[in-house]
Amino acid sequence: MAKACVIGWPVEHSRSPLIHRYWLAQYGIDGAYDKEAVRPEDFAAFVGALAEHGYIGANVTLPHKEAALHLARTADEAAIAIGAANTLWLDADGHLHASNTDAYGFMTNLDAEAPQWNEGLGAAMVLGAGGAARAVLYGLIKATEAKIFLANRTRARAEALAHLFRPRVEVVDWEARNAALGTCGLLINTTSLGMTGQAPLDIDLTALPQDAVVADIVYNPLLTPLLVAAAKRGNPTVDGLGMLLHQAVPGFERWFGVRPEVTPALRAHVVASLSPEAA
Ligand code: ATR
């Protein structure tokens, strides 16, 4: 029986088991998908003994994504560019390989939920400069010729990311984010703001064109204050759950040999696990 897992610290909140177990059942695959809570200091040893633990591969979540990349014998272009891996697998010789499917997940979902997003796109605004922003920027740069603005509370972090992706990303002061929305056909929140238990993202959408697509990577709640405000003024919106579902596809295919589908039924299954106000 093929077995994979998600490794994190903490890992309790991870929705990955819900997604992969759903697909295992749907496709009638004799496989399993577990949760593994592994401390940062134990991560290298755990991954080094992945096969001994019974696994053919794993998803990796916080805080192990950078370590996962460095432990792998090979890593794909996305993982190298993003500087982190979220998907691991062992080959027939027991060698570890790494991929990052976050950019794939974000872009595939954006294409599915707002297929018009790149039509005549002049500029996009990305908010935040953490690991999620790096994945989103990597995906965006490959998919569009449009100008990409990046604003982050701590400007130095935005500068560092922009430098990685030079010359495609232009840093905008956090204080200037609202005014800069005037030419943007796409706005993406990659910060943790708006998540249940966190402050809402502080943004004024007045200058944003009404046909601009507004995407949030936060999925709990499904409708963040940003998405509520955007929908209210008529902007098309893309929530963060789709990214989570789509990023799981390549790993499942790699481990279990079937390319799974992201369906409304899978989405409903995961939505049911979110906090009540999300539904
Ligand atoms: P991840 O790697 O998951 O993206 P992270 O590195 O903790 O997470 O980044 C969180 C993002 O949310 C950062 O861009 C952070 O801004 P700073 O770089 O200035 O810390 C942003 N963020 C968190 N709280 C914020 C707040 N109250 N106002 C503005 N931005 C905030």
Side-chain angles (χ1 to χ4, degrees):
M1 179 174 81
K3 215 163 74 133
C5 64
V6 54
I7 310 170
W9 185 263
V11 78
E12 216 28 63
H13 63 279
S14 172
R15 261 86 187 178
S16 291
L18 216 57
I19 300 168
H20 290 283
R21 288 173 188 165
Y22 179 92
W23 283 331
L24 286 170
Q26 182 188 342
Y27 297 105
I29 294 168
D30 182 25
Y33 190 98
D34 297 341
K35 270 183 201 175
E36 292 283 358
V38 177
R39 287 192 166 81
E41 59 269 32
D42 300 328
F43 181 71
F46 187 90
V47 165
L50 204 58
E52 286 76 5
H53 285 103
Y55 296 118
I56 57 167
N59 279 128
V60 176
T61 186
L62 299 178
H64 303 312
K65 288 182 164 189
E66 284 87 4
L69 172 65
H70 295 115
L71 291 167
R73 176 166 294 220
T74 71
D76 68 1
E77 187 205 318
I80 292 165
I82 297 166
N86 70 343
T87 305
L88 298 174
W89 66 96
L90 293 168
D91 65 20
D93 298 323
H95 296 138
L96 189 71
H97 302 277
S99 171
N100 190 311
T101 66
D102 287 333
Y104 164 84
F106 179 78
M107 296 309 302
T108 306
N109 185 53
L110 185 62
D111 287 339
E113 299 297 320
Q116 78 285 10
W117 73 268
N118 200 18
E119 277 167 28
L121 185 69
M125 170 68 80
V126 177
L127 302 174
R134 190 163 164 181
V136 165
L137 287 172
Y138 171 76
L140 264 188
I141 285 165
K142 292 196 90 140
T144 183
E145 304 277 295
K147 187 185 265 295
I148 300 171
F149 295 124
L150 178 64
N152 189 53
R153 177 181 58 180
T154 308
R155 186 178 166 108
R157 292 187 79 196
E159 302 271 12
L161 264 192
H163 185 72
L164 277 179
F165 294 112
R166 68 185 176 280
R168 288 298 314 279
V169 177
E170 189 178 315
V171 175
V172 168
D173 269 335
W174 185 245
E175 288 68 32
R177 66 193 179 287
N178 296 329
L181 294 178
T183 59
C184 293
L186 177 64
L187 168 64
I188 306 166
N189 173 46
T190 76
T191 76
S192 43
L193 297 169
M195 198 182 286
T196 304
Q198 291 242 18
L201 174 70
D202 178 16
I203 190 143
D204 179 351
L205 300 179
T206 306
L208 187 73
Q210 248 187 331
D211 58 353
V213 174
V214 178
D216 206 324
I217 68 153
V218 171
Y219 61 84
N220 199 4
L222 211 46
L223 289 178
T224 59
L226 169 65
L227 295 185
V228 170
K232 206 165 158 186
R233 61 197 294 283
N235 290 92
T237 62
V238 177
D239 66 52
L241 184 57
M243 175 186 185
L244 179 75
L245 303 178
H246 283 284
Q247 64 76 34
V249 168
F252 188 92
E253 181 180 25
R254 171 94 46 195
W255 307 317
F256 301 115
V258 173
R259 190 160 184 93
E261 243 191 296
V262 172
T263 59
L266 168 66
R267 195 181 149 85
H269 180 67
V270 179
V271 166
S273 79
L274 302 177
S275 56
E277 68 268 27

